[in-house]
Amino acid sequence: MYRLSDFYRLSAALTGYQEVELQGTGVGPIYYQTLSKWVRQDVIEALYAQAEQIGALDNDTNQARFYDQIWNSAKLGPVARNIIKMWYLSIWYQLPADWNALYGVDDFSADKQPVEDYVISSNAYIQGLVWNALGSHPMGAKQPGYGTWAFPGHSAKTHNLD
């Protein structure tokens, strides 16, 4: 059985962020729970095992193997892509119905499938990696702070607005 620490290690390889950065968001446990809710444990374990077998993604050979064996896999690829989407966008996207029929949770049924894609939690939205990647902040949360427009690089003059 794999643990949350394994999920962080895999997520770091998928997202390009360090494990400690992902842990710092505080949303790893809920992402791990969400993944486990919609994906069978044996599929999750197969993804972890395949990523472990490939090793670190620090050279072209391993990256090619990663894309070949995980990203392009009909079984593992959709799960890997959903993990990336969770971390960046804080959304669980429904996996395709044909994938669910083959690899979804054992008690998968139409009434258990979310009606639509959903934001995992309000905190997950705030902690989404997309904001850092964009050099921005989530609308309505984590504002830059009162008066920050007065600092160099944030003035109207810097942006040629005067």
Side-chain angles (χ1 to χ4, degrees):
M1 179 86 166
Y2 287 84
R3 302 174 313 239
L4 182 59
S5 59
D6 298 311
F7 177 70
Y8 280 121
R9 193 168 63 249
L10 175 65
S11 296
L14 290 170
T15 64
Y17 280 79
Q18 298 295 317
E19 286 180 56
V20 70
E21 293 173 300
L22 298 177
Q23 291 169 357
T25 67
V27 294
I30 195 165
Y31 287 171
Y32 183 67
Q33 291 169 356
T34 300
L35 179 67
S36 297
K37 178 179 180 179
W38 300 112
V39 179
R40 284 193 334 240
Q41 191 63 38
D42 65 302
V43 176
I44 295 170
E45 289 178 11
L47 178 58
Y48 291 156
Q50 192 65 46
E52 256 180 53
Q53 181 184 1
I54 292 169
L57 303 177
D58 57 357
N59 64 49
D60 293 336
T61 304
N62 286 343
Q63 286 181 352
R65 288 179 62 207
F66 175 84
Y67 286 106
D68 239 13
Q69 297 173 20
I70 293 178
W71 198 257
N72 293 328
S73 165
K75 179 179 180 179
L76 304 178
V79 179
R81 287 187 284 280
N82 257 24
I83 292 171
I84 294 168
K85 291 174 192 176
M86 277 196 301
W87 281 106
Y88 275 88
L89 304 174
S90 311
I91 296 173
W92 178 259
Y93 288 92
Q94 294 182 65
L95 291 162
D98 57 340
W99 186 94
N100 276 316
L102 294 171
Y103 311 114
V105 290
D106 293 334
D107 61 351
F108 177 80
S109 62
D111 63 319
K112 290 192 180 248
Q113 182 179 17
V115 176
E116 56 191 26
D117 306 331
Y118 63 94
V119 175
I120 295 171
S121 75
S122 58
N123 187 44
Y125 167 78
I126 293 167
Q127 299 301 327
L129 299 180
V130 68
W131 306 115
N132 186 41
L134 292 172
S136 184
H137 55 83
M139 293 179 287
K142 283 185 153 181
Q143 301 303 321
Y146 181 78
T148 56
W149 56 84
F151 296 118
H154 295 285
S155 68
K157 193 174 228 174
T158 303
H159 297 291
N160 297 319
L161 299 175
D162 55 353

